[in-house]
Amino acid sequence: MDFPDPIELAYVGVEVGDPAALSGILESVAGMIPGEVAGTWRNDDRAQRLVVTEGPADDASVVGIKVADADAGATVAGRLAELGYTVEAGTPERCQQRRVAGLWRTAAPWGTPVEIVHGLETATEPFASDRMPGGFKTAGVGFGHAVFMTPDIDAAHRFVVEGLRFRQTDWLKLRPAPDVVVTGRFYHGNQRHHTLALIAAAAPKLLHHVMIEANSADDVGEAFDRAHAAGVPIASGLGKHDNDRMFSFYIQTPAGFQIEIGHGAREVGPDWSENRAYDRISLWGHQPVLREQVAEVT
Ligand SMILES: [Fe+2]
């Protein structure tokens, strides 16, 4: 069953202090390939999915949300304006820069610029990656997912649900200590279990992680081996999430945010009815990889 008004993650922009270090991880570990413009990266046939610029923020610089067409974009833009957000129509230059047919720009309550886009251009060359021979799952489900930290999750929730019209898939209520509660909310706009998630926390960086989903579990395992062999910090080792059942691991980038490389998450449909609380992040795994301890033992 198809969603009536599907929305997807179109792209994520990040501003980082050391683009070369991040590029090395994207290419050598994650198996993404460079786009036609320097600093742009692809995980499918679209012209650009991750846009890396140099700067001090070490955080997300923009998140692009794809809608079906110009009418759908104008509808979302109108709704956001009605909710009190300032929405600017994209200039031809901005559309050309993003390789899209149309664009509206606003800012999420948590501070990240958000661009509503349609008509993503296709790259000249088809996607092919020696390191991810099975490719990535993006058809109909977008680039992947992005998770942001926000101190005011209620305002963020309204923006996401009433403005963008994502639907909440489920939520997370963790008790890492008796008097500490961490809340997370997960949102879908297509069959992907979550395209966007929010964690209620005041954090110095807004972007927690970006997830890309491989078509092959073996490709995820081999990416883990490459990260381990290269000494890239692994924030969470291989594991399986409870809510989306994603088999994945997390790379810690030098910029602070993480990259999750996963496979095999379950999908949701328009009749989704399991919007419930989870009290754990993972069914199993996702443990920190303690390289120093391993080195001491061996
Ligand atoms: Fe994730």
Side-chain angles (χ1 to χ4, degrees), residues 145 194 209 250 260:
H145 72 225
H194 58 280
H209 73 265
Y250 290 70
E260 178 183 12

Side-chain angles (χ1 to χ4, degrees), residues 9-216:
L9 188 62
Y11 49 80
V12 174
V14 291
E15 181 188 305
V16 302
D18 189 350
L22 181 59
S23 298
I25 290 171
L26 296 174
E27 186 158 28
S28 303
V29 178
M32 294 183 72
I33 63 172
E36 288 151 25
V37 176
T40 64
W41 293 86
R42 300 167 49 198
N43 73 336
D44 65 0
D45 288 347
R46 300 299 175 186
Q48 53 189 42
R49 290 297 201 176
L50 191 64
V51 181
V52 181
T53 52
E54 185 168 5
D58 277 337
D59 208 342
S61 56
V62 68
V63 55
I65 302 294
K66 174 185 173 286
V67 296
D69 51 29
D71 285 349
T75 300
V76 176
R79 248 185 352 244
L80 290 168
E82 272 179 35
L83 288 169
Y85 293 95
T86 302
V87 183
E88 290 173 13
T91 59
E93 292 75 24
R94 171 96 55 193
C95 291
Q96 170 59 26
Q97 182 190 21
R98 300 295 191 220
R99 305 288 301 269
V100 297
L103 180 153
W104 293 261
R105 185 176 164 95
T106 188
W110 61 87
T112 304
V114 171
E115 292 171 352
I116 315 301
V117 297
H118 70 93
L120 273 60
E121 286 181 26
T122 300
T124 312
E125 298 290 324
F127 179 82
S129 167
D130 292 342
R131 297 185 178 90
M132 279 285 170
F136 292 93
K137 180 175 175 172
T138 61
V141 293
F143 172 39
H145 72 225
V147 179
F148 290 93
M149 317 288 277
T150 173
D152 187 348
I153 200 165
D154 292 335
H157 180 80
R158 282 196 298 278
F159 174 79
V160 165
V161 172
E162 295 174 25
L164 300 177
R165 290 272 167 93
F166 277 103
R167 302 170 191 198
Q168 183 173 294
T169 314
D170 45 44
W171 75 98
L172 185 65
K173 211 164 187 178
L174 285 181
R175 289 189 184 275
D179 55 347
V180 179
V181 176
V182 177
T183 305
R185 292 179 179 271
F186 300 80
Y187 303 94
H188 66 269
N190 57 69
Q191 281 87 350
R192 191 183 289 289
H193 174 278
H194 58 280
T195 288
L196 197 62
L198 301 169
I199 300 169
K205 305 293 180 184
L206 303 172
L207 180 62
H208 183 271
H209 73 265
V210 173
M211 187 286 303
I212 48 177
E213 186 171 5
N215 287 319
S216 154

